Amino acid sequence: TLVGGIKRVVNGVIDHYLAVCLFLSLFTMTIIGVGSIAIVGQLGLVLCISGFLQKSAKADLRVLCPLLIYHILGLISCYTAFHRLVPGYPATQSVFSVIYLLMACLSQQDLLLLRRLCAAWAGVIAAIGIGQFAFYAVAQNAKRLGGILGNPNALGIFMVIGWFALLSCGSQEEETEGPWLSLLLRMEPLLLIAAALALSLGSFLSMAAGIFILFASKMRSASFMEALLYLCRILARASLGVGTGILLYLTATRTSAPWLCVPMLLYAAALMLCWKRFLRFLLAYNWVSVTMTLAGLLVAAAAIVVRPSSIATFAERLAMMRNGLGYIAANPILGVGPYKWRELNLADADKFFNTSHIHNMFIHVGAELGLAAMVMLALITVRCFRKKTASGQLAQCTAFLFHNLIDTSFFYTGITSMMLMTAAEPAKGGKEMPQVVLRLLLCAFALMFAYNLYLLSN
């Protein structure tokens, strides 16, 4: 009955309330872009209170300790530059440590539930974005899709991370068919189509890097031919989804009848409904996977042709990184301060790049927060790759890292939170954390969030 169904849902939320709290925080942080100190501060307080009720946690100290030191160094740099802890992204990024601490309290079952919820949320964002694109196409004002995140490059990598999270969820299913797997599989083409509509070549390259990791991981447990066929099946899935998105984009922007994108949307809907059958077809006929993989080269060529300016953009990013390295050399200890690089770049003799973040997370952090903060990020990155994680999560880490070497997704609170919630496994290689230590850390973060909110109100 309806009442019984509602009771089961409520009981499920109560049983897994911490995972649900984390997911709801992601829901909000995705919408606020690079972050709002007021909103993140309130979310941080709620998360700290939720974590205070936990009795145990198991965290990887080789990730947690550098992360805490990174936040402390960022706050010191912020205070040195502004004589207060706000404004600046160190105040908003502190929520990452809280998220990691709460994930250390979750069981493996709750971690998998959180990963599924996040992958489903990426599918919802993709569906909303495709709907927005269709609306603007009919109004003859279609352009690269930014969606809820408001930026095509940010949306592109968000879809890529969501896609790898979806693949990771599917590989961990015990049952061959289940409601979660069925729902997530049908969302896969939506993620790929939305990524194509964003037309972010950096995201496509990040996806390619993650797929290579999947192939390399498969090579360890299977023969070369089996791994190659597995790679072809993955590429066939990506080629069909991304190819459909490219065709939808070209129909809406490069023809005199953009309303013709409506039949393409109907095709996308049919693709979503028949996706499971398509996957079974790939398993049954290997030659189809190989053929579609070769066709994927045409899809890649089409993406490059549609965005010929991407090469010039890449050259500009290299110049931006060179500019940032100069500021690291001049200010190696605490950097120039959060968000100071942009105004300094406006006044220096170099080209003004008209962006708030250098398109390389290590160089940007080194320039604004100092070399020590940059080293902390590097230590976290090395530890993530040395942990024995599942191939899907390792592919996520690779895609996220690659993207942040040429773009700025690390500074989007929702994107980095999504990455943490779907790929991090604090308990793996971790140590038991006494309840008193957990509560002291959460209390410290809660006081900081409350203090930041107080500063904003005065």
Side-chain angles (χ1 to χ4, degrees):
T1 63
L2 178 60
V3 175
I6 294 174
K7 286 183 177 179
R8 285 193 295 272
V9 171
V10 171
N11 290 334
V13 170
I14 293 173
D15 292 340
H16 308 284
Y17 82 94
L18 191 57
V20 173
C21 283
L22 285 168
F23 168 68
L24 292 177
S25 69
L26 174 65
F27 179 89
T28 304
M29 285 188 285
T30 305
I31 300 172
I32 61 176
V34 293
S36 160
I37 293 175
I39 295 176
V40 173
Q42 295 174 64
L43 280 174
L45 282 173
V46 172
L47 291 175
C48 287
I49 293 170
S50 300
F52 200 80
L53 302 175
Q54 301 303 305
K55 295 181 180 179
S56 63
K58 190 175 182 181
D60 187 345
L61 298 182
R62 282 173 285 184
V63 173
L64 180 60
C65 290
L67 186 58
L68 293 174
I69 295 172
Y70 166 76
H71 292 318
I72 292 170
L73 291 171
L75 292 172
I76 293 173
S77 177
C78 187
Y79 186 81
T80 303
F82 303 107
H83 302 292
R84 55 191 292 175
L85 299 182
V86 292
Y89 51 86
T92 56
Q93 288 188 338
S94 296
V95 77
F96 299 155
S97 287
V98 177
I99 290 172
Y100 191 81
L101 284 170
L102 296 193
M103 290 183 67
C105 301
L106 297 179
S107 65
Q108 286 298 317
Q109 182 184 9
D110 281 345
L111 283 174
L112 181 56
L113 172 63
L114 180 60
R115 193 173 300 125
R116 290 165 168 172
L117 288 172
C118 293
W121 172 232
V124 171
I125 291 179
I128 294 172
I130 293 170
Q132 289 177 332
F133 182 85
F135 173 79
Y136 287 119
V138 173
Q140 297 188 345
N141 192 30
K143 56 183 179 180
R144 290 175 61 200
L145 179 63
I148 289 177
L149 281 82
N151 181 286
N153 293 337
L155 180 71
I157 190 59
F158 193 88
M159 292 297 105
V160 170
I161 292 172
W163 183 58
F164 282 119
L166 185 150
L167 295 179
S168 179
C169 290
S171 66
Q172 294 190 31
E173 287 279 356
E174 295 180 0
E175 62 272 29
T176 55
E177 293 289 342
W180 270 107
L181 180 57
S182 180
L183 172 64
L184 292 176
L185 283 178
R186 285 187 167 86
M187 285 185 165
E188 184 177 355
L190 295 179
L191 295 172
L192 295 169
I193 291 170
L197 293 176
L199 269 181
S200 169
L201 294 190
S203 299
F204 289 147
L205 290 173
S206 301
M207 177 187 286
I211 291 174
F212 175 78
I213 293 299
L214 290 178
F215 171 66
S217 299
K218 190 69 175 179
M219 283 280 292
R220 297 176 183 175
S221 58
S223 66
F224 175 76
M225 187 55 64
E226 289 173 334
L228 186 61
L229 290 174
Y230 170 77
L231 174 64
C232 288
R233 285 193 292 269
I234 293 292
L235 290 174
R237 295 159 76 164
S239 298
L240 182 57
V242 173
T244 301
I246 294 292
L247 287 175
L248 178 59
Y249 182 86
L250 292 175
T251 303
T253 62
R254 302 300 174 89
T255 67
S256 58
W259 59 268
L260 287 175
C261 71
V262 175
M264 285 299 304
L265 287 174
L266 295 176
Y267 173 75
L271 195 64
M272 180 181 173
L273 293 174
C274 300
W275 193 254
K276 289 168 62 178
R277 185 175 298 179
F278 167 67
L279 297 183
R280 288 195 294 267
F281 185 71
L282 291 180
L283 284 171
Y285 300 98
N286 291 327
W287 64 270
V288 175
S289 300
V290 175
T291 303
M292 293 188 69
T293 297
L294 295 175
L297 298 175
L298 298 177
V299 175
I304 295 172
V305 169
V306 172
R307 280 205 67 204
S309 62
S310 57
I311 298 176
T313 302
F314 182 71
E316 184 179 85
R317 293 181 184 187
L318 291 178
M320 190 189 307
M321 295 173 200
R322 184 177 62 250
N323 179 274
L325 289 172
Y327 283 103
I328 293 177
N331 306 272
I333 300 177
L334 292 175
V336 299
Y339 290 132
K340 285 286 189 178
W341 171 77
R342 177 185 170 91
E343 56 186 78
L344 290 172
N345 173 233
L346 179 61
D348 66 24
D350 209 342
K351 174 184 177 181
F352 177 54
F353 298 103
N354 196 27
T355 181
S356 297
H357 301 98
I358 299 170
H359 284 53
N360 181 296
M361 88 174 165
F362 296 106
I363 295 177
H364 182 89
V365 167
E368 292 198 338
L369 304 185
L371 274 174
M374 184 176 74
V375 169
M376 292 303 107
L377 275 188
L379 289 175
I380 294 169
T381 302
V382 171
R383 175 56 182 161
C384 290
F385 280 94
R386 294 192 67 180
K387 290 179 72 169
K388 295 180 180 179
T389 55
S391 59
Q393 290 151 279
L394 190 60
Q396 278 181 271
C397 294
T398 302
F400 184 70
L401 173 63
F402 187 93
H403 193 264
N404 278 290
L405 293 177
I406 57 175
D407 216 307
T408 64
S409 53
F410 174 68
F411 299 98
Y412 281 78
T413 312
I415 296 176
T416 304
S417 297
M418 170 79 165
M419 181 65 201
L420 273 172
M421 293 182 194
T422 55
E425 289 187 305
K428 185 168 287 186
K431 294 184 178 181
E432 290 290 340
M433 182 182 296
Q435 187 183 48
V436 63
V437 175
L438 174 65
R439 289 185 172 182
L440 284 174
L441 286 172
L442 291 175
C443 280
F445 279 108
L447 288 173
M448 189 203 67
F449 290 132
Y451 180 65
N452 289 342
L453 292 173
Y454 169 76
L455 289 177
L456 289 176
S457 64
N458 290 278

